[in-house]
């Protein structure tokens, strides 16, 4: 158990809908990262928040947004969903950020868009 | 840009066989290198890491050495067990990547299946 929790575990929805994925980092960690794992794109970095502020951005679509709240949990919002958004979404956390720092991953949320 | 290339799987071995999973990278400067493992139905777990050239990371019988001259970080284990069956991901963090040390860049993953 990494100490990172994600809810829900599974989500099934329809095209055009909006969903929210939730992540609670390990106790004491200030950074939260979101990654998408799909069959065609592999594991891709989406976005990072550090202590409530956006720190780094990857290939995140404009339809996707995230935020980190004062209690440090984070939410990833996916809107106008398309079939291609079906994937496993991972949240990771770390103390801050740095060369050798380990990112600890949650169990993921599996999203299926029908 | 920075990237990681892993050998394609699946890799199928008998128990107690020797394992090598090749990983090479393209990066500017000196990235940090990682191996993560994903067991069926679970998230990724850090297996080992190395942050500078010639460092050897090791854990649970697995090891990998950061080779700057060959830009490689191959994963090895002397005697695999059925419980090692999983998908293994090589990854890097680079200060010269957009997002710097904040993001992990992953290889495509290599599936390992170990049979009794």
């Amino acid at each position: 158990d990494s100490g990172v929790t994600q809810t829900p575990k599974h989500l099934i929805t329809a095209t055009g809908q909006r969903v929210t994925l939730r992540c609670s980092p390990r106790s004491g960690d200030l950074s939260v990262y979101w990654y998408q794992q799909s069959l065609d794109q592999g594991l891709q970095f989406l976005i990072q928040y550090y202590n409530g502020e956006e720190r780094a951005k990857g290939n995140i679509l404009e339809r996707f947004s995230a935020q980190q709240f004062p209690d440090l949990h984070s939410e990833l919002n996916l809107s106008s969903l398309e079939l291609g958004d079906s994937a496993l979404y991972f949240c990771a956390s770390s103390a801050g950020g740095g060369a050798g720092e380990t990112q600890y991953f949650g169990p993921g949320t599996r999203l299926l868009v029908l | 840009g920075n990237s990681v290339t892993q050998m394609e799987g699946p890799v199928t071995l008998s128990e107690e066989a020797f394992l090598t999973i090749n990983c090479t990278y393209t990066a500017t400067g000196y990235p940090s290198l990682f191996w993560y493992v994903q067991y069926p139905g679970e998230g990724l777990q850090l297996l080992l890491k190395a942050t500078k050239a010639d460092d050897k990371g090791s854990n649970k019988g697995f090891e990998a050495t950061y080779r700057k001259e060959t830009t490689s970080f191959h994963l090895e284990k002397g005697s695999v067990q059925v419980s090692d069956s999983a998908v293994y991901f090589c990854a890097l963090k680079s200060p010269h990547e957009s997002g710097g040390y904040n993001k992990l860049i992953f290889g495509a993953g290599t599936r390992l299946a170990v049979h009794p």
Side-chain angles (χ1 to χ4, degrees):
Chain A
D1 185 354
S2 67
V4 178
T5 60
Q6 289 186 248
T7 55
K9 285 193 76 168
H10 302 277
L11 204 44
I12 302 175
T13 189
T15 54
Q17 295 298 304
R18 172 189 164 96
V19 297
T20 298
L21 313 184
R22 184 187 167 104
C23 168
S24 293
R26 291 187 327 150
S27 177
D29 283 354
L30 297 179
S31 275
V32 169
Y33 311 79
W34 288 98
Y35 290 84
Q36 179 194 57
Q37 185 179 32
S38 63
L39 284 175
D40 53 345
Q41 300 282 339
L43 262 165
Q44 298 229 322
F45 169 77
L46 295 178
I47 198 163
Q48 180 211 1
Y49 277 80
Y50 175 79
N51 204 21
E53 306 265 332
E54 183 184 303
R55 172 73 66 92
K57 218 167 183 175
N59 295 327
I60 187 167
L61 299 172
E62 283 194 18
R63 301 183 284 108
F64 295 2
S65 65
Q67 57 185 160
Q68 187 179 27
F69 295 86
D71 67 353
L72 301 176
H73 91 271
S74 177
E75 293 181 356
L76 179 67
N77 301 296
L78 316 177
S79 61
S80 303
L81 285 167
E82 302 174 0
L83 296 178
D85 297 328
S86 296
L88 197 47
Y89 291 84
F90 286 110
C91 169
S93 76
S94 74
E101 194 176 81
T102 298
Q103 292 181 17
Y104 295 89
F105 283 74
T109 293
R110 186 173 296 279
L111 173 66
L112 180 59
V113 182
L114 299 175
Chain B
N2 299 310
S3 64
V4 175
T5 302
Q6 287 181 239
M7 61 187 289
E8 283 194 31
V11 173
T12 304
L13 295 173
S14 297
E15 209 165 23
E16 299 183 0
F18 184 86
L19 168 71
T20 300
I21 300 179
N22 290 336
C23 170
T24 57
Y25 67 88
T26 300
T28 306
Y30 291 84
S32 296
L33 301 173
F34 303 80
W35 276 102
Y36 278 84
V37 57
Q38 185 177 26
Y39 297 102
E42 297 184 15
L44 285 83
Q45 300 175 27
L46 178 72
L47 187 56
L48 51 85
K49 65 183 181 184
T51 58
K52 60 182 189 294
D54 300 323
D55 265 3
K56 178 186 279 189
S58 61
N59 186 27
K60 299 180 182 179
F62 290 90
E63 57 183 37
T65 302
Y66 187 157
R67 301 281 187 210
K68 179 68 176 172
E69 63 277 12
T70 54
T71 62
S72 65
F73 193 54
H74 304 322
L75 182 68
E76 295 182 337
K77 187 176 185 185
S79 176
V80 294
Q81 306 300 312
V82 172
S83 57
D84 293 326
S85 298
V87 181
Y88 292 80
F89 292 92
C90 186
L92 69 81
K93 285 205 280 184
S94 169
H96 301 284
E97 176 70 31
S98 167
Y101 280 128
N102 298 303
K103 73 180 200 185
L104 284 161
I105 298 169
F106 286 93
T110 302
R111 182 174 300 277
L112 170 66
V114 181
H115 298 289

